[in-house]
């Protein structure tokens, strides 16, 4: 159980409600719809086609713009985003809402974007991506890691540029942004020495998705020094998460501080992993990660895949005995040789 809970982000006025039903959509998809509305577009649901359904984005008025995003029916994910054709053929205004009487028909619209002023949440997300790029460039590391950090910086910069480019006429910038962030995440995972957390993308997109900031899993170290360090870092991060005034006043400085704490966390996580694998710590690691549902003991044998038997004789599932935040096969209290 996590002892710290990230504070919910301040709701963004006007961006929190949508006029259409967003049930079952991913946070990212909802953010696109919210932003489109913030830009003056009027998203409406189109007819479903096979496994996909479509949201039409329409803005009426002299600068009328339209386009659509195709969303997976069950996944709720954005599959494709299509801008409106710059000069639609006659009768192409088929995306949804009819043009109100007295307004210019869609065929005569110009290519003028709805607005070129970035929405505050858009600026916040782009700033975080740019800050992550600067942190990656400034980070000191060996030659191999430096190369990964440089690529990482390029992906974060590309994400920021794409986010800036959103003007309400098409979702293509968000598709580009998401691609760059996915590439960044791949690098972060493949190069732990970069000391970026895999939650970095969640921090960058949080202003768009309005989802709570990520929390830290429990490391459950056996050494007192590591335990003290974990407590300190957790408290520092909680303080930064709660300081929304600092995040608003100087977002670059705030996010740098967050990434600095998370870099220290990555290092601690690696040290705990090494410590956990020492045979002399085996019993103490088990005490922190495992607890029998019958006797509360932690001398447990993992016999068959996903089944565990305590020395008291009680058989249970892995999920029952694990009182840690580990993913099943990653738990240091579960011996490697029994998991195959
Ligand atoms: Zn037991
Ligand atoms: Zn565990």
């Amino acid at each position: 159980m996590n002892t710290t809970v990230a504070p919910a982000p301040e709701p963004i006025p006007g961006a929190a409600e949508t006029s259409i039903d967003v049930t079952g959509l991913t946070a990212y998809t909802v953010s696109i719809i919210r932003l489109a509305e913030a830009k003056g577009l009027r998203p409406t649901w189109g007819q479903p086609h096979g496994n996909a359904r479509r949201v039409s984005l329409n803005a009426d008025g002299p600068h009328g713009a339209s386009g659509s995003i195709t969303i997976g029916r069950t996944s709720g994910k954005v599959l494709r985003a299509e801008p409106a054709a710059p000069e639609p053929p006659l009768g192409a205004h088929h995306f949804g809402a009819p043009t109100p009487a007295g307004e210019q028909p869609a065929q005569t619209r110009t290519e003028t974007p709805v607005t070129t002023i970035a929405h505050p949440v858009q600026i916040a997300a782009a700033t975080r991506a740019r800050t992550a790029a600067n942190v990656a460039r400034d980070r000191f590391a060996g030659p191999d890691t430096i190369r990964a950090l440089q690529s990482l910086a390029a992906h974060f910069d590309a994400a920021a540029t794409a986010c800036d480019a959103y003007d309400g006429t098409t979702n293509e910038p968000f598709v580009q942004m998401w691609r760059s962030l996915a590439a960044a995440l791949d690098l972060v995972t493949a190069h732990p020495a970069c000391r970026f957390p895999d939650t970095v993308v969640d921090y960058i997109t949080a202003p768009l998705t309005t989802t709570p900031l990520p929390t830290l899993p429990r490391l459950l170290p056996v050494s007192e020094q590591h335990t003290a360090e974990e407590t300190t870092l957790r408290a520092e991060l909680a303080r930064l998460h709660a300081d929304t005034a600092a995040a608003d006043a100087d977002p670059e400085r705030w996010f740098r501080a967050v990434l600095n704490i998370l870099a220290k966390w990555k290092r601690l996580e690696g040290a705990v992993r090494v410590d956990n694998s020492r045979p002399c710590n085996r019993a103490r690691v088990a005490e922190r990660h495992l607890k029998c549902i019958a006797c509360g003991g932690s001398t447990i044998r993992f016999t068959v895949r996903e089944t565990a038997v305590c020395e008291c004789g009680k058989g249970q599932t892995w999920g029952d005995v694990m009182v840690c935040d580990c993913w099943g096969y990653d738990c240091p209290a579960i011996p490697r040789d029994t998991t195959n």
Side-chain angles (χ1 to χ4, degrees), residues 289 322 324-326 331-333:
H289 290 258
M322 290 170 70
C324 48
D325 298 335
C326 307
C331 182

Side-chain angles (χ1 to χ4, degrees), residues 48 135 150 217 224 227 256 260:
V135 168
Q150 282 165 351
E224 276 177 30
T227 304
R256 265 184 184 273
N260 186 36

Side-chain angles (χ1 to χ4, degrees), residues 291-300 309-314 316:
K291 189 177 179 185
C292 167
I293 54 171
C295 73
S298 51
T299 307
I300 291 165
V309 181
C310 177
E311 63 176 351
C312 74
K314 177 76 177 170
Q316 49 213 303

